[in-house]
Amino acid sequence: MQLRYSFRIHPTAGQCKSLARAFGCARVVWNDALRLRQDAHAAGLPFPRSADLSKSLITQAKKTAEREWLSGAPVGVLQQSLRDQDQAWRNFFDSVKGKRPGLKVEPPRFKTRRDNRQSARYTRSDRWSVTEADRLRLPKVGDIKVTWSRRLPSEPSSVTVVKDPAGRYWASFVVETDPAADLLPEIGADCGIDLGLTHFAITDQGVKIDSPRFLRRAEKKLKKAQRELSRKVRGSRNREKARVKVARAHARVANARKDWQHKLSTRLISENQAVYVETLSVAGLGRTRLAKSVHDAGWAQFVGMLEYKAARYGRTVIRVDRGFPSSRLCSACGHNTGAKPLSVREWGCPHCGTRHDRDVNAARNIRTEGRRIRAVRQHHIPGDVPALTG
């Protein structure tokens, strides 16, 4: 399977200028191609192919006075920009045709130098390499110092250099790994998880994992940095410094959240053969008064980590439909007790008399429904498995 490894790089001032040139050239080719394709669509003409665009926007454009500076970037970076746009269009068309259910993909948009994130992808045709001194050698840039946090498991096929909003540079490598080498031995344990705000995750065993609330803890510093930014004159160098300061503060919050979720998701995948979670409408909850807490929790990122780690290590992650009444059912007898306000954290079943912790009971119901879905899928029944509703 394909994996992506990102490492911090530290280009010199001259190398930063060379990378900025590569970012700009790739951005211009992207915008030129997007404009031609939009014009062709408006005129009812066939969709221009990348091979034709490569000739006109790269090969021939370099010979003109208006675009001769495209020679400042490797040709592979420019061609990769066209290939990336092809993929963006395919994703959009698949979304329109319903081939990507549950995921709405917007059409490609124009890029600008004012975008806080800039990138350029180097393929093997550009002859980039990692030197014996463990530096990243890029064409027309030079040898860049890299902070290696681990060794790459195999030879990378491409590297994407990214400049993030905080002004940091990253090298992102794509590598192919042997799926059989990463598989973990099978175990009999499984786990149902109910995600929440007071507690980030509650397992069916009654384990409650507190939410770190990284954004809330850093809110005072973020407010101060944002207030300083709002007082700077637009277009001034001081405003740019203040913007970077805000971006770095947000990056620290995002990094802390991602690190914590990586550790938790790895532990859950290691300890369980199957993990069952409820599908949450994060977009809908993000429009309520709980929006800041919902985004601070980062449920979608966490579930995504569980899914890709399960695929890598031979585990199973099953999403239970959010229409499943996990908070209404008694996990002991299955009786539906109806809707309850969020203030009710404990309740007793009127049918069997069992006392329940609201969140633990929901996690146990999610585990039961997840086991049912897993059993149906293991019997090779095609199509989606409908969730029990009530």
Side-chain angles (χ1 to χ4, degrees):
M1 64 182 301
Q2 281 192 340
L3 297 176
R4 184 176 293 277
Y5 290 80
S6 295
F7 303 93
R8 183 81 179 272
I9 60 175
H10 309 274
T12 63
Q15 290 171 342
C16 288
K17 292 181 180 179
S18 299
L19 288 173
R21 189 179 302 114
F23 297 154
C25 292
R27 182 176 63 245
V28 167
V29 170
W30 170 286
N31 289 341
D32 289 346
L34 182 57
R35 186 176 297 106
L36 287 175
R37 283 169 166 168
Q38 289 182 347
D39 293 344
H41 175 73
L45 300 175
F47 193 77
R49 299 183 307 167
S50 289
D52 299 330
L53 293 176
S54 179
K55 293 179 182 178
S56 61
L57 299 181
I58 300 177
T59 306
Q60 297 175 4
K62 287 181 179 180
K63 301 176 182 178
T64 65
E66 294 81 6
R67 290 285 190 269
E68 61 179 359
W69 41 265
L70 288 176
S71 301
V75 66
V77 170
L78 307 182
Q79 293 173 340
Q80 186 61 46
S81 182
L82 295 177
R83 287 191 286 268
D84 288 342
Q85 188 175 128
D86 285 344
Q87 185 61 52
W89 279 113
R90 279 194 293 270
N91 294 341
F92 169 67
F93 292 141
D94 288 346
S95 174
V96 172
K97 296 176 182 177
K99 295 181 180 180
R100 300 169 69 94
L103 180 62
K104 183 180 179 181
V105 179
E106 297 294 332
R109 66 170 182 83
F110 288 101
K111 297 182 179 182
T112 171
R113 70 177 64 183
R114 294 182 179 85
D115 288 339
N116 292 329
R117 184 184 184 277
Q118 302 287 341
S119 65
R121 185 178 302 182
Y122 294 79
T123 58
R124 276 301 173 192
S125 63
D126 294 316
R127 297 184 179 180
W128 62 271
S129 63
V130 177
T131 66
E132 294 181 356
D134 285 338
R135 290 181 176 249
L136 177 61
R137 178 171 295 170
L138 297 177
K140 301 188 178 183
V141 177
D143 295 355
I144 305 177
K145 181 182 177 182
V146 184
T147 300
W148 299 99
S149 57
R150 67 180 77 180
R151 287 297 171 185
L152 295 173
S154 62
E155 191 72 15
S157 59
S158 68
V159 59
T160 303
V161 178
V162 179
K163 181 183 179 183
D164 67 10
R168 301 173 301 177
Y169 289 83
W170 303 86
S172 180
F173 299 89
V174 174
V175 299
E176 290 281 352
T177 60
D178 181 12
D182 294 328
L183 295 180
L184 295 175
E186 291 193 13
I187 54 179
D190 60 359
C191 180
I193 299 176
D194 181 51
L195 299 176
L197 294 177
T198 303
H199 296 92
F200 179 80
I202 302 93
T203 70
D204 59 86
Q205 299 297 321
V207 178
K208 296 186 177 182
I209 302 170
D210 290 333
S211 178
R213 298 177 180 173
F214 294 105
L215 181 63
R216 295 289 187 181
R217 284 158 49 184
E219 205 166 23
K220 186 175 181 180
K221 291 183 179 180
L222 287 170
K223 283 183 178 180
K224 181 180 178 182
Q226 188 66 50
R227 187 163 55 245
E228 292 176 355
L229 173 62
S230 67
R231 293 171 177 170
K232 305 301 180 184
V233 179
R234 290 186 178 273
S236 66
R237 292 180 62 86
N238 284 337
R239 182 178 177 83
E240 177 61 19
K241 293 178 183 178
R243 185 200 65 77
V244 171
K245 185 177 179 180
V246 172
R248 288 178 176 172
H250 279 287
R252 282 192 290 270
V253 173
N255 289 344
R257 181 189 299 114
K258 186 178 294 185
D259 177 72
W260 183 82
Q261 291 185 353
H262 267 303
K263 293 174 180 176
L264 177 60
S265 58
T266 298
R267 178 161 61 87
L268 289 172
I269 290 296
S270 301
E271 296 175 353
N272 298 279
Q273 185 64 34
V275 177
Y276 315 112
V277 294
E278 187 177 16
T279 301
L280 298 169
S281 178
V282 177
L285 292 171
R287 293 191 291 268
T288 67
R289 60 184 180 85
L290 301 174
K292 184 178 289 187
S293 297
V294 169
H295 293 307
D296 189 13
W299 294 326
Q301 177 177 262
F302 175 70
V303 175
M305 290 179 181
L306 287 175
E307 288 179 329
Y308 90 77
K309 290 178 182 181
R312 180 180 181 185
Y313 297 117
R315 300 298 202 227
T316 302
V317 170
I318 292 179
R319 295 195 187 206
V320 175
D321 188 86
R322 61 175 176 263
F324 175 71
S326 60
S327 297
R328 303 183 182 187
L329 298 177
C330 171
S331 59
C333 67
H335 180 69
N336 192 329
T337 59
K340 306 172 189 63
L342 290 176
S343 59
V344 177
R345 308 314 302 172
E346 293 186 0
W347 54 276
C349 176
H351 188 263
C352 66
T354 306
R355 294 292 300 177
H356 293 293
D357 179 284
R358 180 192 184 108
D359 299 324
V360 176
N361 176 72
R364 289 172 179 170
N365 287 326
I366 290 172
R367 180 194 59 188
T368 302
E369 176 67 2
R371 285 175 174 175
R372 183 190 72 83
I373 297 174
R374 185 185 178 196
V376 173
R377 290 181 179 175
Q378 287 178 340
H379 284 82
H380 306 289
I381 296 179
D384 292 334
V385 182
L388 297 177
T389 58

